[in-house]
């Protein structure tokens, strides 16, 4: 039996699964990108192009209004320059609890860029206060910060410096009592940074997932997004390996 | 003509003369055995093969084989190994059927006229049609399109996806060129794009949208036939292609699954 699928229906049981390896999921009438888990994401770049994007057959310059779809690791990725904004279209709607996640991307120079450049964030439009969780760079290595609105904790990778073009996989976990960030470069062994966390907040509030920045405009970083998975609970690597 | 794994049978020295059984149905349709019109029939059928079997009869070219041993070795190397193979015929180019070689080849020596010493063989191959599993179009990432013909990535099923285009002079004519001798099709989109704007076409529905800095509107002036993106339109290793009348484009294939 061969059946076509409703490509916009949720195909993941994760809290969030943003993954374009099977092709772009989009809402034709709005142009919003649709996660496998059903959430929609808005994208914009303002009045600027993005050059040297790789595709089968050559590179191209993406026009202002077009997401820069890129051939990355033999799959479809979304190239994000520092002017690109990709954020969830509505506030997160899952209950507060320990969360784990996997974030796969192609390094495009963010690590060695300006300290604070943010790969991934769960934050409000104004990210300078309140609850937030984000992976940013110290200027030399990546680090994970959790802030419950009152106090914060940060764990920093002691080693591991992906070069531009490397395929990087981050796994993160915030349980309340502990905070963990793992990094694998080009399929290598994970390097782990772990430390005491801060208590989970009573509510997430008006937070949204964002790729390549924190808040509306703050702390931009360039990368090629391959995959973001967020799951409930503190999960082992083997379970995350099976998540989709 | 008959291809297995996108390779003509004749390329290994076999000249197929008959085939029986049923191929898989084209994508996105259900198959029910025995219901007329739901499974794709094949030409040259000599009667129904046992359920789930596809039987191919072929002559071994005398220039390629003078003995049974090399013939068996060639067949095993090309079609054996317990691997799922993709079978396709020229009369149903849009249908690719996953199959497994089932049992040994039956080789019959053809009686020759007196005085001829070169043996000639007829081979009967049984393939088991494989249902289930997953055969997917590989969403091979974005493919850059332009005013020269660009071959679209190989796969095992017809695909859909998005086609984005920018920097062209309206009307934009998208030409889809099958490689197997079928006629080319054209799809014409009459919609000007300014610098920075692009159009996004949904190849499943044929809907086309213009994206400007401030708005997204549906394009109504769309005529012709939208690209099929069917790897059944390949010929051997040559894939079907897309050509734009002007500007630049990006094809984003959408993976689809066989279940």
């Amino acid at each position: 039996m061969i059946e076509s699928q409703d490509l916009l229906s949720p195909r993941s049981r994760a809290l969030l699964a943003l993954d374009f390896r099977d092709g772009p999921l989009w809402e034709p009438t709005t142009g919003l990108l649709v996660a496998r888990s059903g959430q929609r994401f808005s994208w914009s770049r303002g009045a600027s192009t993005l050059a040297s994007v790789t595709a089968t057959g050559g590179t191209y310059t993406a026009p202002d209004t077009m997401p820069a779809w890129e051939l990355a690791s033999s799959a479809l990725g979304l190239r994000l320059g520092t002017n690109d904004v990709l954020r969830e279209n509505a506030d997160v709607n899952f209950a507060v609890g320990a969360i784990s996640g996997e974030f796969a991307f192609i390094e495009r120079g963010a690590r060695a860029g300006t300290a604070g450049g943010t790969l991934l964030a769960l934050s409000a439009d104004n990210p300078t206060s309140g609850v937030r969780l984000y992976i940013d760079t110290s200027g030399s290595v990546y680090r994970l910060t959790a802030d419950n609105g009152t106090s914060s904790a940060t764990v920093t990778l002691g080693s591991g410096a992906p070069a531009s073009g490397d395929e990087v996989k981050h796994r993160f976990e915030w349980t309340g009592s502990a905070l963990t960030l793992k990094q694998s470069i080009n399929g290598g062994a994970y390097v782990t940074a772990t430390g005491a966390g801060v208590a989970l907040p009573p509510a997430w509030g008006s937070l949204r997932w964002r790729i390549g920045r924190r808040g509306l405009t703050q702390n931009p970083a360039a990368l090629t997004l391959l995959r973001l998975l967020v799951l409930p609970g503190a999960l082992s690597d083997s379970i995350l390996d099976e998540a989709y | 003509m008959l291809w297995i794994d996108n390779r003509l049978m004749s390329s290994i020295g076999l000249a197929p003369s008959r085939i029986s059984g049923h191929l898989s149905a084209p994508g996105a349709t259900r198959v029910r055995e025995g219901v007329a019109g739901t499974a794709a029939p094949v030409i040259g059928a000599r009667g129904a093969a046992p359920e789930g079997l596809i039987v191919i009869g072929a002559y071994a070219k005398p220039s390629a084989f003078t003995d049974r041993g090399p013939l068996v070795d060639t067949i095993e190397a090309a079609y054996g190994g317990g691997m799922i193979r993709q079978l396709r015929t020229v009369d149903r180019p849009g249908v690719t059927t996953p199959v497994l070689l089932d049992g040994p080849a039956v080789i019959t020596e053809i009686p020759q006229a007196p005085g001829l010493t070169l043996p000639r063989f007829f081979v009967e191959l049984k393939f088991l049609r494989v249902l289930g599993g997953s055969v997917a179009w590989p969403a091979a990432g974005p493919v850059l399109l332009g005013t020269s013909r660009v071959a679209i990535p190989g796969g095992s099923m017809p695909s859909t996806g998005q086609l984005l285009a920018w920097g062209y002079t309206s009307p934009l004519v998208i030409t889809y060129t099958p490689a197997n001798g079928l006629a080319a099709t054209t799809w014409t989109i009459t919609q000007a794009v300014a610098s920075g704007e692009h159009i996004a076409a949904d190849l499943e529905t044929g809907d086309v949208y213009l994206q400007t800095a401030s708005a997204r509107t549906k394009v109504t002036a769309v005529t012709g036939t939208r690209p099929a993106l069917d790897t059944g339109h390949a010929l051997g290793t040559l894939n079907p292609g897309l050509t734009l009348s002007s500007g630049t484009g990006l094809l984003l294939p959408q993976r689809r699954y066989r279940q």
Side-chain angles (χ1 to χ4, degrees):
Chain A
M1 176 171 52
I2 302 172
E3 290 181 313
S4 60
Q5 298 189 5
D6 176 358
L7 296 172
L8 298 183
S9 63
R11 288 188 289 150
S12 170
R13 297 176 70 178
L15 296 174
L16 173 63
L18 191 60
D19 190 338
F20 303 115
R21 285 176 298 177
D22 291 343
L25 293 178
W26 63 314
E27 193 173 67
T29 52
T30 61
L32 293 172
L33 305 179
V34 183
R36 286 181 173 184
S37 46
Q39 296 97 328
R40 300 183 303 167
F41 279 71
S42 61
W43 168 89
S44 69
R45 192 188 300 119
S48 61
T49 59
L50 186 59
S52 303
V53 183
T54 302
T56 300
T59 59
Y60 71 97
T61 297
D64 309 13
T65 59
M66 196 180 95
W69 297 106
E70 185 166 63
L71 180 65
S73 294
S74 302
L76 184 65
L78 181 59
R79 175 84 170 267
L80 298 167
T82 51
N83 290 324
D84 287 71
V85 177
L86 181 63
R87 68 166 186 156
E88 197 173 1
N89 206 43
D91 297 344
V92 293
N93 61 359
F94 53 87
V96 172
I99 55 173
S100 303
E102 177 175 292
F103 182 60
F105 65 100
I106 303 294
E107 171 71 31
R108 298 292 179 203
R111 178 194 59 79
T114 306
T118 301
L119 297 173
L120 164 70
L122 175 61
S123 66
D125 284 349
N126 176 0
T128 57
S129 64
V131 178
R132 52 206 189 271
L133 176 72
Y134 55 89
I135 300 173
D136 71 347
T137 180
S138 69
S140 57
V141 290
Y142 288 118
R143 59 194 180 185
L144 172 66
T145 297
D147 191 315
N148 61 13
T150 305
S151 55
S152 70
T154 298
V155 292
T156 304
L157 292 167
S159 63
S164 191
D166 283 348
E167 182 175 345
V168 185
K169 195 183 288 182
H170 281 165
R171 284 183 171 174
F172 57 91
E173 185 178 289
W174 183 15
T175 65
S177 60
L179 194 62
T180 303
L181 176 64
K182 298 178 179 180
Q183 177 178 271
S184 167
I185 301 173
N186 295 326
Y190 280 104
V191 172
T192 302
T194 189
V198 291
L200 293 164
W204 294 119
S206 299
L207 305 187
R208 300 180 184 196
W209 289 100
R210 301 153 202 274
I211 316 295
R213 65 185 56 221
R214 208 183 318 162
L216 273 183
T217 58
Q218 293 88 341
N219 307 102
L223 68 146
T224 298
L225 169 65
L226 299 178
R227 182 169 63 262
L228 170 61
L229 278 174
V230 180
L231 296 115
L235 304 177
S236 65
D237 281 340
S238 59
I239 291 177
L240 281 175
D241 285 341
E242 297 299 319
Y244 64 94
Chain B
M1 289 186 287
L2 201 154
W3 290 263
I4 295 178
D5 283 354
N6 231 20
R7 182 167 60 166
L8 274 169
M9 280 190 82
S10 58
S11 71
I12 65 164
L14 297 176
S17 66
R18 68 190 192 207
I19 180 170
S20 64
H22 287 93
L23 306 181
S24 295
T29 57
R30 290 173 179 272
V31 179
R32 183 179 297 168
E33 203 72 53
V35 177
T38 56
V42 296
I43 59 167
R46 60 183 180 116
E51 185 173 351
L53 282 183
I54 294 171
V55 182
I56 298 170
Y59 289 97
K61 295 178 181 175
S63 58
F65 301 105
T66 57
D67 202 355
R68 290 167 184 261
L71 179 55
V72 172
D73 291 345
T74 300
I75 291 168
E76 178 59 30
Y79 306 139
M83 292 175 61
I84 295 176
R85 311 284 179 174
Q86 305 298 327
L87 185 151
R88 183 160 59 85
T89 67
V90 71
D91 60 312
R92 293 292 184 274
V95 177
T96 301
T97 303
V99 294
L100 272 171
L101 186 62
D102 184 52
V106 177
I107 299 174
T108 307
E109 187 168 341
I110 302 170
Q112 297 292 299
L116 290 178
T117 57
L118 195 64
R120 306 189 70 171
F121 300 106
F122 185 79
V123 185
E124 196 166 69
L125 298 169
K126 289 181 183 174
F127 286 95
L128 184 65
R129 197 179 68 214
V130 178
L131 297 176
S134 177
V135 181
W137 172 281
V143 181
L144 197 57
L145 306 175
T147 53
S148 299
R149 182 184 189 276
V150 174
I152 59 177
S156 57
M157 289 183 66
S159 180
T160 59
Q162 278 186 61
L163 195 153
L164 312 173
W166 64 97
Y168 61 82
T169 301
S170 183
L172 173 67
V173 180
I174 301 167
T175 302
Y176 173 70
T177 319
N180 61 357
L182 294 178
T185 62
T186 57
W187 200 33
T188 302
I189 300 167
T190 304
Q191 173 63 59
V193 286
S195 176
E197 298 176 353
H198 75 282
I199 57 162
D202 184 338
L203 295 180
E204 178 137 31
T205 62
D207 291 340
V208 180
Y209 293 85
L210 170 68
Q211 182 71 60
T212 69
S214 58
R216 188 177 184 87
T217 52
K218 190 169 183 179
V219 177
T220 54
V222 180
T223 58
T225 305
R226 65 179 183 269
L229 303 189
D230 189 343
T231 49
H233 293 159
L235 179 65
T237 56
L238 182 62
N239 284 335
L242 287 170
T243 309
L244 307 184
S245 56
S246 61
T248 309
L250 205 60
L251 171 67
L252 305 169
Q254 186 84 53
R255 181 180 294 194
R256 298 174 72 181
Y257 293 94
R258 177 187 174 85
Q259 294 175 318

